């Protein structure tokens, strides 16, 4: 089976600096894996979630910083 991965994270900002290095708290990471069934060529989507209490993100890996979506 072949696979492809996508990761999404939801968190609270704790600190950052001029290089956009960030310390994030209460992170929820969602990893979505797409596997291809070799017999039927059907895409199979699987998602796993994990909670991370504190996470350091190096600034050169930051692509976009945006406020959360408003619900309501």
């Amino acid at each position: 089976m072949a696979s492809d991965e996508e990761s999404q994270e939801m968190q609270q900002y704790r600190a950052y600096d001029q290089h956009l290095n960030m310390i994030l708290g209460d992170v929820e990471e969602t990893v979505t894996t797409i596997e291809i069934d070799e017999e039927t060529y059907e895409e199979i989507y699987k998602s796993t979630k994990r909670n991370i209490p504190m996470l350091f993100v190096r600034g050169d890996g930051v692509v976009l910083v945006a406020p959360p979506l408003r619900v309501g």
Side-chain angles (χ1 to χ4, degrees), residues 7-11 24 27-30 50 52 55 57:
S7 179
Q8 179 180 23
E9 296 176 349
M10 305 279 299
Q11 70 282 320
L24 308 175
V27 176
E28 179 183 88
E29 179 185 42
T30 304
R50 69 177 177 155
I52 304 169
L55 178 70
V57 178

Side-chain angles (χ1 to χ4, degrees), residues 6 12 18 26 32 36 39 50 56 58-59 62 70-71:
E6 180 180 312
Q12 295 178 358
Q18 69 272 18
D26 301 324
T32 303
I36 307 294
E39 294 178 8
R50 69 177 177 155
F56 176 80
R58 189 175 162 142
V62 175
R70 293 185 184 195
V71 178

Side-chain angles (χ1 to χ4, degrees), residues 5 9 11 13-15 19 21 24-25 27 32 34 36-37 39 41 46 54 57 62-65 69 71:
E5 277 190 9
E9 296 176 349
Q11 70 282 320
Y13 294 106
R14 300 290 185 186
H19 305 289
N21 295 318
L24 308 175
V27 176
T32 303
I34 304 170
I36 307 294
D37 188 316
E39 294 178 8
Y41 298 104
K46 295 181 181 178
M54 194 71 65
V57 178
V62 175
V63 176
L64 175 69
V65 177
L69 297 175
V71 178

Side-chain angles (χ1 to χ4, degrees), residues 33-56:
T33 304
I34 304 170
E35 297 178 348
I36 307 294
D37 188 316
E38 294 178 0
E39 294 178 8
T40 63
Y41 298 104
E42 182 179 337
E43 292 181 345
I44 301 166
Y45 292 85
K46 295 181 181 178
S47 292
T48 58
K49 291 185 179 186
R50 69 177 177 155
N51 292 316
I52 304 169
M54 194 71 65
L55 178 70
F56 176 80

